[in-house]
Amino acid sequence: MHLRTICSLFLLILGAISLISCGDSDNDATISKPTTTATSSTVEEATIIEIDVAAEETAIRALHKAHDDTVNQREAAPVMEYWFEGTGMVMAHNFFGIVVISRGRQKVRATWHSIFARKNRWLMKTTIETVVIEKKRGKLARSEGRFKYLVNAKDYRALYEKDKDGEWKIKAIDYGNNGLIQGFKVKG
């Protein structure tokens, strides 16, 4: 019986030594720790995009003036060269007191065709009062101001987006500022 007690005591000490040796270790490679990784949205937020606001504003103003000059030539095909190719294109204008909204490239182009088909010779002149560039990615911008159509001057709001080549294009124009463009989005 004495031998049995000695063996039990020996096994107990051996177990205690193995527990103590596994408890604290300087080698962290064997210890499993939860890891945290940055998500793509966190990485995007951390990325700072430098925007030359003056150069971008100059480009937007030049685009809008070229658009007006082309509108004054009264041909729809060249006018559409200044418009964005992607989805979400919108143009709104007041036609004899009724707001006409054209959604999509084909409808915007058709609207220009119908405007140019009118017998009246009218000139478009836009005065841009403010240009705001979206700061997160620098690929959206908005302008506000006044445009003159015949003898009437009205407020307008326009939305621009950079195309795949990094060139500004018109995404939406709300002639009459009917509340269609809010922030950097088109309502509805």
Side-chain angles (χ1 to χ4, degrees), residues 67-170:
H67 178 263
D68 280 0
D69 292 346
T70 307
V71 165
N72 291 333
Q73 294 172 9
R74 301 177 54 87
E75 292 183 36
V79 168
M80 295 309 294
E81 291 176 18
Y82 298 98
W83 286 76
F84 192 74
E85 289 283 337
T87 61
M89 183 185 302
V90 174
M91 184 173 80
H93 68 285
N94 295 308
F95 190 69
F96 296 113
I98 299 170
V99 177
V100 177
I101 300 173
S102 304
R103 296 185 186 273
R105 188 167 188 83
Q106 289 179 344
K107 289 187 180 179
V108 169
R109 183 181 175 129
T111 299
W112 283 119
H113 272 292
S114 66
I115 290 170
F116 296 149
R118 294 183 64 216
K119 292 181 183 178
N120 302 29
R121 174 74 180 146
W122 56 276
L123 296 176
M124 169 87 68
K125 181 172 186 214
T126 302
T127 304
I128 297 176
E129 295 172 359
T130 60
V131 174
V132 180
I133 299 168
E134 178 256 350
K135 292 183 174 138
K136 186 174 180 181
R137 299 179 309 139
K139 293 185 178 192
L140 294 172
R142 184 185 71 239
S143 74
E144 296 178 18
R146 310 248 326 141
F147 78 99
K148 189 173 183 180
Y149 169 75
L150 294 171
V151 295
N152 298 327
K154 294 183 179 181
D155 292 337
Y156 87 92
R157 188 175 278 183
L159 184 64
Y160 311 90
E161 186 170 340
K162 282 192 174 182
D163 65 9
K164 61 184 176 186
D165 297 326
E167 298 293 321
W168 288 108
K169 297 290 183 174
I170 298 168

Side-chain angles (χ1 to χ4, degrees), residues 9-61:
L9 189 58
F10 177 74
L11 288 175
L12 184 63
I13 291 173
L14 187 60
I17 291 173
S18 68
L19 280 175
I20 291 171
S21 68
C22 289
D24 256 1
S25 173
D26 291 337
N27 185 1
D28 288 340
T30 59
I31 299 173
S32 174
K33 294 183 181 178
T35 59
T36 57
T37 58
T39 63
S40 62
S41 64
T42 306
V43 172
E44 285 178 18
E45 290 171 9
T47 304
I48 297 172
I49 296 175
E50 292 186 34
I51 301 169
D52 185 346
V53 175
E56 300 294 355
E57 182 175 337
T58 299
I60 290 166
R61 287 177 183 272

